[in-house]
Amino acid sequence: NTDGLLIFSTQLDNAELVRMHQRGFPIVLLHRSAPKGLPIPSVRFENHLGVRQAIDHLIEVHGRRRIVFLRGDADNEDSFYREIAYREALDVHGLPFDPALVGVGGFNEMLGEAVISAMIADGIQFDAVFTGDDEAAAGVMMALRNGSLSIPEDVAVVGFDDLSSARHFNPALTTLRAPIETASYLAAHHLACLIQGDPVELVNVLPVELVLRRSCGCS
């Protein structure tokens, strides 16, 4: 009993998307690309360029060499493109990719804390963490403090999203500001247009912005 659906990330599989599209049901994807060959509108963030900028900053400005990358879930598209950018930045700067520095943070505070606590307990050496999102960053910071590591002196921390709480972290969180409200508005607007039979842009990629604060070492 609905006129259309906004579908967030991986909440429906490709087969169901194909079925709904073939029925002519109006759908718009948020934080996810359409399956190949299906003209379904999508609204996403520019993950690749943003994460490249963040990792380049850690390496070039702060001299970090052992950077942890926390993944999202295995089928999360945002995480996929962020990891490509992470690996690319390491390669451009002549730094080896070390699988021991990659963990699954799941965009979750408790998982972020658990992964970093395990790395510390295992004696893995690292000097920066790209946390995947700001919620995971809170857990990462807790784990670092519990491991007697200072932020950013011992370990720099960078998040993603720039939630309203990020500037109140201790220290304030360097993060990639994503236009979350704009993405939601645009997706809803496109869905309303589809329901009314109006044309919309199929691919909508919104830029993100690196916001420098104390957690990476900037003043």
Side-chain angles (χ1 to χ4, degrees):
N1 298 319
T2 60
D3 295 317
L5 281 178
L6 291 176
I7 301 175
F8 183 83
S9 189
T10 57
Q11 297 305 304
L12 288 178
D13 61 25
N14 284 352
E16 183 63 15
L17 293 180
V18 170
R19 187 184 72 83
M20 288 195 296
H21 177 71
Q22 289 175 342
R23 291 178 57 195
F25 191 75
I27 53 178
V28 175
L29 305 178
L30 190 56
H31 308 308
R32 174 183 182 178
S33 298
K36 188 174 181 179
L38 283 186
I40 299 174
S42 66
V43 180
R44 299 179 288 115
F45 295 139
E46 175 42 86
N47 288 287
H48 183 272
L49 291 178
V51 173
R52 264 302 305 269
Q53 186 180 8
I55 303 300
D56 287 348
H57 178 81
L58 288 171
I59 296 170
E60 297 170 4
V61 177
H62 300 294
R64 306 297 170 152
R65 295 293 181 268
R66 299 274 297 168
I67 303 171
V68 171
F69 177 84
L70 295 189
R71 291 174 172 144
D73 295 332
D75 55 356
N76 184 279
E77 184 175 320
D78 286 340
S79 180
F80 173 79
Y81 286 113
R82 292 172 195 177
E83 184 167 350
I84 289 177
Y86 165 77
R87 291 177 180 242
E88 184 180 279
L90 295 181
D91 184 61
V92 166
H93 291 89
L95 300 176
F97 172 76
D98 184 350
L101 296 178
V102 178
V104 179
F107 304 150
N108 177 278
E109 181 177 347
M110 294 180 64
L111 282 177
E113 180 178 357
V115 169
I116 297 303
S117 295
M119 288 186 178
I120 294 171
D122 291 342
I124 296 173
Q125 299 298 308
F126 57 94
D127 55 17
V129 182
F130 176 74
T131 67
D133 79 333
D134 293 353
E135 289 190 20
V140 167
M141 287 182 164
M142 180 64 71
L144 294 173
R145 292 191 192 96
N146 291 340
S148 299
L149 294 170
S150 298
I151 308 165
E153 291 78 11
D154 297 321
V155 180
V157 178
V158 177
F160 196 110
D161 285 334
D162 194 27
L163 299 178
S164 59
S165 60
R167 66 183 183 275
H168 301 299
F169 283 26
N170 185 23
L173 181 65
T174 291
T175 185
L176 287 155
R177 178 177 294 152
I180 297 172
E181 291 85 359
T182 300
S184 302
Y185 174 87
L186 186 59
H189 174 74
H190 280 3
L191 183 59
C193 289
L194 288 179
I195 292 170
Q196 295 167 8
D198 297 331
V200 299
E201 291 286 336
L202 290 179
V203 179
N204 303 267
V205 181
L206 304 181
V208 300
E209 175 190 359
L210 180 61
V211 179
L212 299 175
R213 298 191 180 106
R214 181 61 185 152
S215 71
C216 73
C218 289
S219 59

